[in-house]
Amino acid sequence: MSAVMETVNETTRPFIAVTEVWVPKDGRLVWSSGDYGALADFAAISEKQSFAKGEGLPGKAWAEARPVVLKGFDGSYFLRAEAARVAGLTSAVAIPVFAGNDLKAVVVVLCGDDAERTGAIEIWHEENGLLLLDDGYYGAARHFEWVSQHTHFPRGQGLPGGVWAANAPMLLRDLGSGYRFIRADSAGRAGLTTGLGLPIAVPGRRTYVLTLLSARGTPIARRFELWNVRSSRSGAATEAVLADGICQREGPLWDDEHERRVAAWQGAVGEALGSGLPLVRTDTALLTAGYASMVALPLYRDGVLAHVVAWYY
């Protein structure tokens, strides 16, 4: 591993401590994959857990068919509260993945809270023609949280409004100085650098947008990739083409002169494409490339797989 890679790993801490995927099986949500870092005891408990519809955080996201933020576990419906407390985890966000009315999976991310961990995981919902903050977790970025609670977006404005208008994932760089990011001043003060916005499809006509805002010292990820899905005439997803991407080490990943694509079941992104399910990977190939883990999240539009978003730490 290069000296540069070692420096990056030693001086940065992930904003998200745990990512896990739950899939429906026999009327319950069961564990599918996850990254728990050094939290082996919490991983062992989680892998044996399952949730009925409406039970626990994954079951609540399933039953209510919407993303759910839980900022505290004590006295809540979070079934692993004691194990989370021992592991130093304090907050979680559950993101359901629906294809039309069919639940494919629930992705849960968990965070710890301290004075240094800065970033944002936000859920925005549409109300009376505007996107309003449904809820979010911000770590130490308290002022940015206050600004976000008092901000709304019309269609096409800012990162949430841009995702809403395009009904597609978007990446924004240089949040603290970018004119397209409405909260640029407070983002700069919080040290936020990169924004990823995702449309979250749910049954019915409700609009939800998920935004992941990454800071340099405690990044959500060190690499982001947005892939557009191409399908056969029969409707089967056959390949994905890289539409945008950014990496801390490599800079921009997308090049219109050299198209990058993956076929279904080719690598981790291809597996998400072929299966239509989100996944978390922590394997030797990632370690060789300098990453501890990666998440691949399929996004559906009108019940059809339209995008795969991947992030690596």
Side-chain angles (χ1 to χ4, degrees):
M1 186 176 292
S2 69
V4 172
M5 193 175 298
E6 288 176 357
T7 300
V8 169
N9 285 341
E10 289 171 2
T11 59
T12 59
R13 299 171 56 207
F15 182 68
I16 294 173
V18 170
T19 304
E20 52 190 20
V21 176
W22 303 86
V23 298
K25 181 180 179 180
D26 300 328
R28 298 183 68 85
L29 288 171
V30 299
W31 187 90
S32 176
S33 61
D35 172 30
Y36 297 86
L39 304 179
D41 291 343
F42 187 74
I45 291 171
S46 300
E47 291 171 12
K48 298 175 183 178
Q49 187 77 53
S50 68
F51 301 93
K53 191 172 186 178
E55 184 181 36
L57 181 60
K60 184 177 179 68
W62 180 13
E64 297 187 4
R66 65 178 182 90
V68 178
V69 177
L70 184 57
K71 292 183 179 179
F73 298 148
D74 291 343
S76 74
Y77 51 82
F78 193 80
L79 299 189
R80 296 169 287 165
E82 178 57 23
R85 184 191 64 77
V86 172
L89 302 170
T90 58
S91 304
V93 180
I95 307 154
V97 179
F98 280 95
N101 293 321
D102 180 29
L103 180 75
K104 307 292 286 186
V106 176
V107 177
V108 175
V109 298
L110 299 101
C111 303
D113 196 9
D114 57 47
E116 298 177 357
R117 208 178 300 261
T118 297
I121 306 171
E122 305 175 313
I123 304 297
W124 300 85
H125 74 281
E126 185 273 333
E127 186 175 320
N128 298 322
L130 295 171
L131 281 181
L132 306 178
L133 185 67
D134 190 75
D135 208 343
Y137 173 69
Y138 297 84
R142 305 301 185 195
H143 180 263
F144 186 78
E145 179 176 9
W146 183 90
V147 170
S148 301
Q149 291 169 344
H150 295 82
T151 303
H152 56 263
F153 296 93
R155 184 188 292 267
Q157 187 179 67
L159 178 59
V163 171
W164 181 19
N167 196 17
M170 292 179 60
L171 264 176
L172 285 186
R173 287 88 162 165
D174 301 321
L175 297 184
S177 58
Y179 71 94
R180 295 177 61 194
F181 194 71
I182 304 303
R183 298 167 286 166
D185 180 64
S186 55
R189 291 165 59 182
L192 300 174
T193 57
T194 306
L196 173 63
L198 309 176
I200 304 300
V202 298
R205 298 180 178 273
R206 296 173 297 164
T207 297
Y208 286 96
V209 172
L210 170 72
T211 50
L212 304 175
L213 309 180
S214 191
R216 187 170 286 106
T218 53
I220 284 177
R222 293 192 286 123
R223 180 186 181 102
F224 297 95
E225 298 173 348
L226 308 185
W227 299 82
N228 291 339
V229 174
R230 293 177 178 174
S231 301
S232 65
R233 290 184 178 180
S234 66
T238 56
E239 67 175 7
V241 178
L242 187 67
D244 199 359
I246 188 170
C247 175
Q248 277 188 359
R249 296 197 307 268
E250 301 173 42
L253 302 175
W254 177 76
D255 181 355
D256 58 5
E257 295 184 1
H258 302 90
E259 188 175 70
R260 294 182 56 192
R261 62 181 68 191
V262 296
W265 302 105
Q266 178 186 356
V269 171
E271 183 177 343
L273 177 69
S275 68
L277 299 175
L279 57 89
V280 180
R281 285 289 176 269
T282 56
D283 54 32
T284 303
L286 283 170
L287 293 173
T288 302
Y291 302 105
S293 63
M294 67 88 68
V295 179
L297 176 65
L299 300 177
Y300 289 81
R301 180 189 297 163
D302 299 325
V304 177
L305 184 56
H307 308 277
V308 176
V309 177
W311 57 91
Y312 303 70
Y313 182 79

